[in-house]
């Protein structure tokens, strides 16, 4: 026979662990007055206790994925239009993702919109698999920033839709 687990007892045990962990993190024992503590550190500890990533960890993963995607876009750009001929001469096969949007549809002055509908910037052009933002739509107005073409989910009318929310997409902006 299999052992049955009481769900209510499991939840009570988990809540008791959270209470004792938060009390330990705040540096107080039962019955002592509350003291000041770092809420960020407590949140990080609690998220770790339930095996969930912090916001910083999720952003770091997203940045790493965007960097890999940008490198792949640069490699594809270097392969150029004759890449199919070069690939057929080798034993290895390069497979292009079927989800990558057609960047040739992107035109100057189109709006760049995050997955959440937030305006991210305005297209100045497409260079090497990346979208070049107008200077006035990036955080530093003295030079251009770029967004990897791998973040493009699609083109609808005058809008370039990204697969990332606007606040996340701006963290992936690349320098010229």
């Amino acid at each position: 026979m299999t052992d049955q687990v009481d769900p209510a007892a499991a939840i009570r045990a988990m809540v008791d662990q959270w209470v004792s962990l938060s009390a330990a993190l705040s540096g107080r024992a039962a019955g002592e007055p509350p003291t000041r503590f770092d809420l960020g550190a407590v949140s990080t500890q609690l998220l770790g206790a339930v095996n969930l990533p912090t916001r910083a960890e999720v952003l770091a993963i997203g940045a790493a994925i965007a960097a890999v995607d940008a490198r792949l876009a640069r490699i594809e750009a270097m392969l150029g239009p004759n890449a199919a001929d070069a690939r057929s001469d080798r034993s290895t096969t390069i497979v292009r993702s079927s989800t990558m949007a057609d960047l040739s549809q992107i035109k100057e002055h189109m709006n760049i919109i995050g997955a959440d509908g937030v305006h991210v910037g305005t297209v100045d052009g497409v260079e090497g698999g990346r979208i070049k933002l107008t200077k006035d739509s990036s955080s530093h107005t003295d030079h251009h920033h770029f967004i990897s073409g791998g973040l493009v989910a699609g083109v609808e009318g005058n809008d370039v839709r990204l697969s990332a929310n606007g606040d996340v997409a701006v963290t992936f902006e690349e320098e010229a």
Side-chain angles (χ1 to χ4, degrees):
M1 283 201 180
T2 60
D3 293 328
Q4 299 254 341
V5 176
D6 179 17
I11 291 173
R12 278 192 300 275
M14 186 170 56
V15 169
D16 289 342
Q17 286 177 344
W18 285 352
V19 169
S20 69
L21 178 62
S22 64
L25 288 172
S26 66
R28 63 184 173 118
E32 291 183 15
T35 58
R36 294 187 68 165
F37 61 95
D38 182 6
L39 183 59
V42 171
S43 298
T44 300
Q45 288 288 340
L46 288 173
L47 287 170
V50 293
N51 200 25
L52 291 175
T54 63
R55 181 179 189 275
E57 291 169 334
V58 170
L59 289 175
I61 292 167
I65 291 171
V68 168
D69 190 49
R71 281 187 225 125
L72 289 173
R74 286 186 201 112
I75 290 169
E76 286 180 344
M78 284 189 277
L79 290 174
N82 297 328
D85 296 335
R87 275 186 251 136
S88 64
D89 294 340
R90 296 190 313 260
S91 59
T92 58
T93 304
I94 298 172
V95 179
R96 185 180 181 126
S97 170
S98 62
T99 60
M100 184 152 175
D102 182 10
L103 299 183
S104 67
Q105 297 177 17
I106 300 174
K107 305 296 179 206
E108 190 176 2
H109 302 299
M110 292 180 105
N111 297 311
I112 302 171
I113 309 294
D116 55 355
V118 173
H119 185 267
V120 174
T122 305
V123 175
D124 194 35
V126 177
E127 294 180 7
R130 302 186 305 168
I131 301 171
K132 182 178 182 181
L133 300 174
T134 58
K135 287 183 182 178
D136 62 347
S137 67
S138 57
S139 55
H140 306 114
T141 57
D142 60 338
H143 61 276
H144 292 280
H145 281 120
F146 293 83
I147 293 180
S148 170
L151 288 176
V152 176
V155 178
E156 302 168 2
N158 196 40
D159 294 335
V160 177
R161 295 263 175 208
L162 301 178
S163 58
N165 285 346
D167 60 339
V168 175
V170 296
T171 65
F172 295 143
E173 284 184 7
E174 302 168 3
E175 298 286 327

